[in-house]
Amino acid sequence: MANKRNLKKNIAYICSDIVGECIFAQQAFEGIDVDKMDEVIVKVALLQDAAIKKISVNYDKQEKDFKSNKAVYRKGRRAYFKAVEKAIAEFVNEGVDAIVREMNALLPAAQREANKQAVQ
């Protein structure tokens, strides 16, 4: 697993960027339901909290459990944290995708159409 502290910081940066986009949209586009966008901001905060809690895990075995072969311990520990990191990435990506879809749905129709044309 990458450094836990850096992983937590990256999740916080991603979530703060999304919140910044929500606040920008509230100010920049007329016709956005501000209350619903505030609900999206709360969902981002809850996603961040849940993801950071998932990072705070420990390998359930200790090196002394592998008296004869420490390499097996290190290999198992690496595999465990790699699986945890993958699960967290999937969790965050799914949460972000859902939030972005919700944000886009709140945009006025004219802005959604402009965004589609810009992507093409």
Side-chain angles (χ1 to χ4, degrees):
M1 177 183 265
N3 183 316
K4 288 181 184 181
R5 179 179 40 198
N6 288 338
L7 196 52
K8 290 177 183 181
K9 284 181 183 180
N10 288 336
I11 289 170
Y13 291 144
I14 290 167
C15 291
S16 66
D17 285 347
I18 294 170
V19 169
E21 291 295 324
C22 290
I23 294 169
F24 172 78
Q26 286 176 328
Q27 302 299 318
F29 303 117
E30 291 184 27
I32 282 190
D33 187 340
V34 175
D35 292 333
K36 288 197 185 250
M37 193 61 82
D38 286 343
E39 290 175 16
V40 170
I41 291 171
V42 169
K43 288 179 183 179
V44 173
L46 293 173
L47 173 67
Q48 177 180 337
D49 184 56
I52 288 175
K53 284 180 181 176
K54 288 179 181 291
I55 292 171
S56 300
V57 297
N58 292 313
Y59 187 46
D60 61 345
K61 299 189 183 347
Q62 295 195 3
E63 197 169 340
K64 65 182 178 182
D65 297 336
F66 298 86
K67 298 172 193 163
S68 60
N69 196 346
K70 292 181 182 182
V72 173
Y73 165 77
R74 287 191 298 271
K75 184 177 179 181
R77 187 172 187 269
R78 263 192 309 269
Y80 173 79
F81 283 116
K82 189 171 186 171
V84 168
E85 190 171 357
K86 183 179 178 183
I88 292 168
E90 289 173 0
F91 174 77
V92 171
N93 287 336
E94 289 172 5
V96 167
D97 286 345
I99 288 168
V100 168
R101 281 193 301 275
E102 196 169 338
M103 288 169 57
N104 287 337
L106 293 175
L107 289 175
Q111 185 59 41
R112 279 195 306 258
E113 191 60 39
N115 287 352
K116 285 180 185 177
Q117 290 176 359
V119 171
Q120 296 172 355

